[in-house]
Amino acid sequence: MEQSDLLIDAFGRLPQTVRRAVHGLDARALNHRPYPEGNSISWLIWHLARGEDAQIAPLAGHEQAWTAEGWYERVGLPLAVEDTGYGHDSEQVSAVQVKSADVLLGYYEAVHSRTAAFVSGLAGGDLDQVVDEAWDPPVTLGVRLISILGDGLEHVGQAAYVRGMVLASGT
Protein backbone atom coordinates (compact mmCIF):
# COMPACT_ATOMS: atom_id res chain seq x y z
CA MET A 1 0.00 0.00 0.00
CA GLU A 2 1.30 3.44 -0.89
CA GLN A 3 1.47 6.09 1.83
CA SER A 4 -1.01 8.29 0.00
CA ASP A 5 -3.48 5.36 -0.20
CA LEU A 6 -3.26 4.92 3.56
CA LEU A 7 -3.91 8.63 4.13
CA ILE A 8 -6.78 8.69 1.62
CA ASP A 9 -8.39 5.78 3.45
CA ALA A 10 -7.81 7.31 6.88
CA PHE A 11 -9.14 10.77 6.01
CA GLY A 12 -11.92 9.11 3.98
CA ARG A 13 -13.40 7.68 7.18
CA LEU A 14 -14.22 11.11 8.57
CA PRO A 15 -17.03 12.20 6.19
CA GLN A 16 -19.31 9.25 6.98
CA THR A 17 -18.84 9.74 10.71
CA VAL A 18 -19.47 13.49 10.41
CA ARG A 19 -22.67 12.79 8.44
CA ARG A 20 -23.83 10.28 11.06
CA ALA A 21 -23.19 12.76 13.86
CA VAL A 22 -25.46 15.42 12.33
CA HIS A 23 -27.97 13.28 10.41
CA GLY A 24 -31.57 14.25 11.01
CA LEU A 25 -30.78 16.92 13.60
CA ASP A 26 -32.35 20.35 13.43
CA ALA A 27 -30.59 23.58 14.36
CA ARG A 28 -31.81 23.39 17.94
CA ALA A 29 -30.30 19.93 18.46
CA LEU A 30 -27.08 20.84 16.64
CA ASN A 31 -26.57 23.97 18.74
CA HIS A 32 -27.56 22.39 22.07
CA ARG A 33 -24.83 22.31 24.70
CA PRO A 34 -25.23 19.28 26.95
CA TYR A 35 -24.12 21.28 29.98
CA PRO A 36 -23.24 24.99 30.42
CA GLU A 37 -19.53 24.66 29.56
CA GLY A 38 -19.95 21.81 27.06
CA ASN A 39 -19.41 21.88 23.32
CA SER A 40 -22.32 21.58 20.94
CA ILE A 41 -22.32 19.33 17.89
CA SER A 42 -22.21 22.50 15.79
CA TRP A 43 -19.09 23.74 17.50
CA LEU A 44 -17.35 20.34 17.37
CA ILE A 45 -17.95 19.78 13.65
CA TRP A 46 -17.24 23.42 12.74
CA HIS A 47 -13.98 23.32 14.75
CA LEU A 48 -13.01 19.98 13.17
CA ALA A 49 -13.52 21.49 9.71
CA ARG A 50 -11.82 24.80 10.54
CA GLY A 51 -8.81 23.04 12.03
CA GLU A 52 -8.39 20.78 9.03
CA ASP A 53 -8.96 23.65 6.58
CA ALA A 54 -6.54 26.02 8.33
CA GLN A 55 -3.79 23.41 8.49
CA ILE A 56 -4.15 21.67 5.11
CA ALA A 57 -4.51 24.83 3.00
CA PRO A 58 -1.00 26.18 3.63
CA LEU A 59 0.49 22.70 3.22
CA ALA A 60 -1.27 22.38 -0.12
CA GLY A 61 -0.38 25.94 -1.12
CA HIS A 62 -3.88 27.30 -1.44
CA GLU A 63 -6.36 29.54 0.36
CA GLN A 64 -8.70 28.01 2.91
CA ALA A 65 -12.14 26.88 1.69
CA TRP A 66 -13.56 29.03 4.53
CA THR A 67 -12.67 32.18 2.61
CA ALA A 68 -11.96 31.01 -0.95
CA GLU A 69 -15.35 29.33 -1.35
CA GLY A 70 -17.37 31.78 0.73
CA TRP A 71 -18.13 29.45 3.63
CA TYR A 72 -17.33 32.23 6.09
CA GLU A 73 -20.33 34.19 4.76
CA ARG A 74 -22.59 31.16 4.32
CA VAL A 75 -22.07 29.84 7.84
CA GLY A 76 -22.39 33.40 9.15
CA LEU A 77 -20.78 33.20 12.57
CA PRO A 78 -20.01 36.33 14.62
CA LEU A 79 -16.33 35.42 14.79
CA ALA A 80 -13.20 36.73 13.12
CA VAL A 81 -12.60 35.16 9.72
CA GLU A 82 -9.35 33.57 10.90
CA ASP A 83 -10.95 31.99 14.00
CA THR A 84 -10.70 28.19 14.10
CA GLY A 85 -12.09 27.65 17.59
CA TYR A 86 -8.72 26.84 19.12
CA GLY A 87 -8.75 28.04 22.74
CA HIS A 88 -12.39 29.11 22.68
CA ASP A 89 -13.97 29.99 25.99
CA SER A 90 -17.59 29.21 26.83
CA GLU A 91 -18.90 32.48 25.38
CA GLN A 92 -17.12 31.89 22.07
CA VAL A 93 -18.40 28.31 21.92
CA SER A 94 -21.93 29.70 22.39
CA ALA A 95 -21.42 31.99 19.39
CA VAL A 96 -21.12 29.00 17.06
CA GLN A 97 -24.76 28.55 16.10
CA VAL A 98 -25.61 27.03 12.72
CA LYS A 99 -28.89 27.31 10.84
CA SER A 100 -28.87 23.74 9.56
CA ALA A 101 -26.90 20.55 9.21
CA ASP A 102 -26.64 21.27 5.47
CA VAL A 103 -24.39 24.30 5.93
CA LEU A 104 -22.21 22.46 8.43
CA LEU A 105 -21.91 19.42 6.16
CA GLY A 106 -21.36 21.59 3.10
CA TYR A 107 -18.38 23.27 4.67
CA TYR A 108 -16.92 20.06 6.05
CA GLU A 109 -17.30 18.28 2.70
CA ALA A 110 -15.61 21.18 0.88
CA VAL A 111 -12.68 20.91 3.29
CA HIS A 112 -12.56 17.13 2.97
CA SER A 113 -12.45 17.25 -0.83
CA ARG A 114 -9.45 19.59 -0.64
CA THR A 115 -7.75 17.33 1.90
CA ALA A 116 -8.39 14.22 -0.22
CA ALA A 117 -6.97 15.94 -3.30
CA PHE A 118 -3.88 17.00 -1.38
CA VAL A 119 -3.09 13.63 0.22
CA SER A 120 -3.77 11.75 -3.02
CA GLY A 121 -0.99 13.73 -4.67
CA LEU A 122 1.66 12.89 -2.09
CA ALA A 123 4.61 10.78 -3.13
CA GLY A 124 7.31 8.73 -1.41
CA GLY A 125 9.46 11.19 0.52
CA ASP A 126 6.89 13.97 0.89
CA LEU A 127 5.90 12.89 4.38
CA ASP A 128 9.46 13.43 5.65
CA GLN A 129 9.43 17.11 4.67
CA VAL A 130 9.69 19.42 7.72
CA VAL A 131 6.68 21.73 7.77
CA ASP A 132 7.04 23.36 11.18
CA GLU A 133 10.36 24.13 12.83
CA ALA A 134 8.75 25.77 15.87
CA TRP A 135 8.71 22.39 17.67
CA ASP A 136 11.50 20.21 19.00
CA PRO A 137 11.81 17.98 17.13
CA PRO A 138 10.59 19.81 14.02
CA VAL A 139 7.25 18.57 12.67
CA THR A 140 7.20 16.65 9.40
CA LEU A 141 4.32 16.58 6.96
CA GLY A 142 3.52 13.00 7.99
CA VAL A 143 3.35 13.90 11.67
CA ARG A 144 1.20 16.97 10.94
CA LEU A 145 -1.26 14.93 8.85
CA ILE A 146 -1.60 12.32 11.60
CA SER A 147 -2.16 15.12 14.13
CA ILE A 148 -4.92 16.64 11.95
CA LEU A 149 -6.51 13.22 11.52
CA GLY A 150 -6.33 12.47 15.24
CA ASP A 151 -7.97 15.79 16.13
CA GLY A 152 -10.70 15.16 13.57
CA LEU A 153 -11.45 11.69 14.88
CA GLU A 154 -11.50 12.98 18.45
CA HIS A 155 -13.95 15.77 17.66
CA VAL A 156 -16.29 13.68 15.56
CA GLY A 157 -16.33 11.07 18.33
CA GLN A 158 -17.25 13.80 20.80
CA ALA A 159 -20.00 15.00 18.43
CA ALA A 160 -21.39 11.46 18.20
CA TYR A 161 -21.41 11.24 22.00
CA VAL A 162 -23.22 14.59 22.31
CA ARG A 163 -25.70 13.40 19.65
CA GLY A 164 -26.56 10.46 21.90
CA MET A 165 -27.07 12.82 24.83
CA VAL A 166 -29.25 15.12 22.74
CA LEU A 167 -31.40 12.29 21.43
CA ALA A 168 -31.76 10.74 24.89
CA SER A 169 -32.90 14.06 26.36
CA GLY A 170 -35.38 14.75 23.56
CA THR A 171 -33.80 18.14 22.81
Side-chain angles (χ1 to χ4, degrees):
M1 177 180 267
E2 296 295 323
Q3 295 170 347
S4 62
D5 294 333
L6 183 62
L7 290 167
I8 291 165
D9 181 73
F11 278 100
R13 293 167 188 258
L14 280 168
Q16 66 188 6
T17 55
V18 167
R19 283 191 287 276
R20 276 196 307 263
V22 303
H23 178 74
L25 299 180
D26 61 14
R28 181 180 169 157
L30 291 167
N31 297 319
H32 176 74
R33 295 174 73 184
Y35 56 92
E37 300 297 314
N39 296 326
S40 66
I41 295 168
S42 296
W43 186 89
L44 288 162
I45 300 301
W46 169 81
H47 175 61
L48 180 166
R50 287 296 296 127
E52 186 174 324
D53 196 11
Q55 292 182 80
I56 294 289
L59 297 172
H62 56 68
E63 186 180 349
Q64 295 175 33
W66 188 241
T67 51
E69 297 179 21
W71 289 104
Y72 173 72
E73 289 86 11
R74 282 186 261 183
V75 177
L77 301 177
L79 301 170
V81 69
E82 66 276 0
D83 198 333
T84 64
Y86 182 75
H88 268 189
D89 62 22
S90 184
E91 185 178 324
Q92 291 165 310
V93 170
S94 288
V96 178
Q97 300 279 314
V98 298
K99 297 174 190 105
S100 72
D102 291 340
V103 73
L104 204 53
L105 281 174
Y107 175 51
Y108 174 73
E109 289 174 357
V111 170
H112 174 71
S113 71
R114 287 165 166 252
T115 299
F118 175 65
V119 299
S120 69
L122 295 175
D126 292 343
L127 297 180
D128 294 328
Q129 175 189 355
V130 172
V131 296
D132 189 346
E133 294 189 14
W135 297 92
D136 184 20
V139 177
T140 63
L141 177 59
V143 168
R144 178 61 45 88
L145 290 172
I146 295 304
S147 175
I148 295 166
L149 181 62
D151 285 348
L153 291 168
E154 181 178 337
H155 291 311
V156 76
Q158 292 166 343
Y161 183 78
V162 173
R163 175 189 174 87
M165 294 172 71
V166 166
L167 294 176
S169 72
T171 300

